[in-house]
Amino acid sequence: MTGKPENSSHENRSFWKRFFMFSLRNRIAFYYTVATAFLIAVVFAVIYFLVERVVYQQFDEELRSEISELFHDAHVTNYGIASLSQFRNIDIDDKGEEAADEDPDHDEHDEKEQGKVDVEFIQILDREGLMFRKSENLSRYTLVFRSGQEETIFFNSRLAGSTIRQVQVPLKDSKGLVGGYVIVAVPMKNAIIVLYDLQNVLFLSFPLIILTLFILTRLIAGRSIMPIDRVIATAEQISQTNLDQRIMMPRHRDELYRLSATINSLLDRMQDAFLREKQFTADASHELKTPLSVVKGNLEVLIRKPREREYYESKVKFCLGELNRMAQLIDQLLMLARFESDSMHSHIESVQLSRRIDEVVERMKPSADEKGIVFRLQELNDVRVAADSSMLEMILDNIISNAVKYSPSGSMVTIRVERKSNMVACHITDEGIGIPDEKLQSVFERFYRVDQSRNSSTGGFGLGLSIVKKLADLQKIRVTVASGEKGTTFTLVFPSL
Ligand code: ADP
C-alpha cells in the first residue's frame, strides 16, 4: 500500500536530482533565477511601499489640514491645550455638506448605504471613548476608536465596507491629561484601488518574469556551454586507436579555449607515453627474444649429432653467457618497473658524497685496471648531500661503469666535486668516444643506444641511463650530460640540504 507513493516521491526526487546535478545549464539558470528573483522581489517591495507611503502621506496631509481647520473653528489657540467643551457648538457638518454640494451627481441613497464615503467624517469622543458628537454624514456608523492613545495617530480602518484613513487626536488640558478625542476620517476609495491594482500587477508579473527569466537563462546558458558538448563528443570518440585526434579549438580565447588546449596537451602527453610504452614493449620483447633464439639455435645444433666435448663446452658456455645477459636484462626491467610504478620510495638523508664515490670507484677498479684506465678524484671530503644512499650508489655505479666501458685503454676518468653557492655538483668526465650532440638527450631513454654496433662489444641494453634518470628524479637530483669531440661529462646537481 505504502510502496507506491514512496516510489513516486523517490522518482520525483531523482528527477530533480538529475535536473540539477547532471545539467550545468539547468544549474546556471536555476541559481541565476533564484538570485534575480530575490532582487526583483526586493525591488517590487520597495516600489510598493514607496507608492503606499506617498499615498498615505497625501491623505495624512489632508487629515492634518482638516484637524487644524476644526481646531481653528473651536478657537483652540494652543494646539497642545484643548477641551471637549470647545467643540460643543462648532459646525462639524459644514465640510460634508460642502463636499456633497460640490458633487452634482451625488446620489443621496447611495451615500447613506456607503456611509457617505465621498467626504470627511468627524467624530468627537469623551475621554472614556463615549460619543460626544459626530458629523451627520456618519448616520448610523461610527469611526473606529483606539483607546489609551495619548498621541496623534494615523491609521486605516473600514467604514461601511470601504477603506478609510483616520486621524485620532487627543484633547489634552494644560496638565497634559486627555479630556477627549477628535477623530477625522476620509475615504480612500480610489487610492486603495490604485494600491490594489499595483499589488496585483506586481504579484502576477513576478512569477511571469521569473519563469521567462529561467527559460531565457537556460537557453543562453545552453548556447554558451555548447562548445563543452563538442569537447565532450570529441573526447568520447578518442580511444587508444585514434589517440592522434584532437579537440577543435574554440574561436574565442576564453576558459573553454584553455580547457580545450589543456585537454589537447594532455592527449599529446598520453599519446607520447602510449607510443613510448609500445616501443618499450617491442624493444623489451626483441631484447629477450634475441638471446632466446640464439640459445635455442645453439642447443638445436648440439642435439642434431654427437660432438666433441670441447665443442659442447664452448656452446654451453656461450649459451650460459646469453642466459646471464637475459637475467641481467630481466633484473634491469624489473628495477625500472618498480621505479615507475611508484612503489619505490626514496629515503632521503644526509649522505657523505666522497665516501659513496670512493666505494663505487673501488668496485670499478678491477675492470678499469683491465683497460689500464686510471681514476682521478677531485673530491671535497666534508661534502654532504641530500640523497638516498643506495639509490645514489646505483646512479654512480651506472655512470662510472659507462665511463670505463666507453673509454679507450690507458685513458683517465676524472670525478670532481664542487660546491656552488648552496648546491653541490659532481662531474664525472671520461676521455672516451663521446656522444654526438643530437643524441645527447636520447641517452636517458629506455633501450636507447647511441650506436648499436658499439654495444655488441660492450654488451649494454641501453637501460642503465634510464634507470639513472628515474632514480635521480626520485631524489630531485638534476642529471645532465655534455660531450665534446673526445670525452663525455655527466653532472649530478644535488638539492641543498
Ligand atoms: P648501456 O647499457 O648500453 O651502456 P646506458 O643507458 O647506460 O646503456 O647508455 C645508453 C647509451 O649511451 C649507451 O649505449 C652509449 O652509447 C651511450 N653512453 C653512455 N655513457 C657513455 C659514455 N660515458 N661515453 C660514451 N657514450 C656513452
Side-chain angles (χ1 to χ4, degrees), residues 328 332 398-407 428 430 432-436 439 442-452 454-455 458-468 481 483 487-490:
Q328 205 186 332
Q332 287 190 335
N398 270 297
I399 296 177
I400 297 174
S401 71
N402 272 351
V404 173
K405 236 191 319 188
Y406 299 107
S407 290
I428 298 144
D430 60 52
I433 47 182
I435 302 169
K439 295 183 175 170
S442 309
V443 292
F444 294 107
E445 284 170 22
R446 294 173 297 188
F447 288 114
Y448 187 85
R449 285 169 293 201
V450 173
D451 181 356
Q452 300 292 337
R454 240 194 228 182
N455 277 79
T458 46
F461 297 104
L463 285 177
L465 287 181
S466 55
I467 292 174
V468 165
V481 56
S483 191
T488 306
T489 300
F490 280 88

Side-chain angles (χ1 to χ4, degrees), residues 2 23-24 37 39 53 71 78 89 96 115 128 137 143 145 226 231 242 262 265 298 316 356 374 383 398 440 490:
T2 50
S23 165
L24 181 59
L39 275 180
R53 232 183 82 180
F71 274 43
N78 187 345
N89 294 319
E128 310 298 336
N137 57 4
L143 297 173
F145 165 65
M226 216 142 71
V231 170
N242 59 349
T262 312
S265 83
N298 275 288
V316 168
R356 293 288 160 266
V374 289
V383 168
N398 270 297
L440 272 180
F490 280 88

Side-chain angles (χ1 to χ4, degrees), residues 223-243:
R223 279 183 156 271
S224 341
I225 60 171
M226 216 142 71
I228 294 188
D229 284 337
R230 274 207 300 273
V231 170
I232 294 169
T234 324
E236 270 171 357
Q237 276 170 19
I238 296 171
S239 67
Q240 270 191 10
T241 45
N242 59 349
L243 257 183

Side-chain angles (χ1 to χ4, degrees), residues 297-444:
N298 275 288
L299 291 178
E300 276 168 358
V301 168
L302 284 189
I303 211 163
R304 220 170 278 155
K305 56 176 185 183
R307 312 258 179 189
E308 298 287 304
R309 185 189 161 85
E310 288 78 39
Y311 189 78
Y312 279 123
E313 271 179 12
S314 79
K315 285 296 176 194
V316 168
K317 246 191 198 151
F318 176 76
C319 286
L320 274 176
E322 285 301 302
L323 288 177
N324 276 339
R325 256 174 66 77
M326 262 177 81
Q328 205 186 332
L329 172 61
I330 290 169
D331 275 351
Q332 287 190 335
L333 284 175
L334 281 176
M335 211 187 292
L336 257 183
R338 255 198 313 152
F339 297 151
E340 283 180 359
S341 69
D342 285 338
S343 59
M344 189 89 174
H345 296 290
S346 51
H347 304 287
I348 305 291
E349 54 191 338
S350 166
V351 178
Q352 199 174 353
L353 184 58
S354 53
R355 174 146 352 131
R356 293 288 160 266
I357 294 172
D358 289 348
E359 279 167 11
V360 175
V361 166
E362 205 49 51
R363 274 207 301 277
M364 293 293 149
K365 270 263 167 66
S367 49
D369 287 346
E370 259 176 45
K371 290 174 82 175
I373 293 173
V374 289
F375 287 106
R376 187 162 58 143
L377 303 181
Q378 298 177 339
E379 304 165 45
L380 301 169
N381 280 331
D382 57 338
V383 168
R384 301 189 77 87
V385 291
D388 177 308
S389 117
S390 58
M391 286 186 181
L392 177 61
E393 253 184 59
M394 254 187 257
I395 292 178
L396 291 170
D397 221 278
N398 270 297
I399 296 177
I400 297 174
S401 71
N402 272 351
V404 173
K405 236 191 319 188
Y406 299 107
S407 290
S409 308
S411 62
M412 184 182 288
V413 172
T414 311
I415 301 170
R416 186 163 60 88
V417 176
E418 62 169 348
R419 202 186 262 133
K420 275 190 199 160
S421 59
N422 57 349
M423 304 270 211
V424 172
C426 171
H427 310 274
I428 298 144
T429 309
D430 60 52
E431 296 169 347
I433 47 182
I435 302 169
D437 272 354
E438 69 278 9
K439 295 183 175 170
L440 272 180
Q441 280 322 303
S442 309
V443 292
F444 294 107

Side-chain angles (χ1 to χ4, degrees), residues 93 115-116 121-123 131 133-143 159:
D93 293 315
K116 295 176 189 169
F121 309 97
I122 299 165
Q123 184 174 289
M131 189 64 71
R133 290 190 67 190
K134 68 174 177 176
S135 56
E136 268 177 20
N137 57 4
L138 271 171
S139 66
R140 63 192 161 91
Y141 299 103
T142 49
L143 297 173
L159 181 70

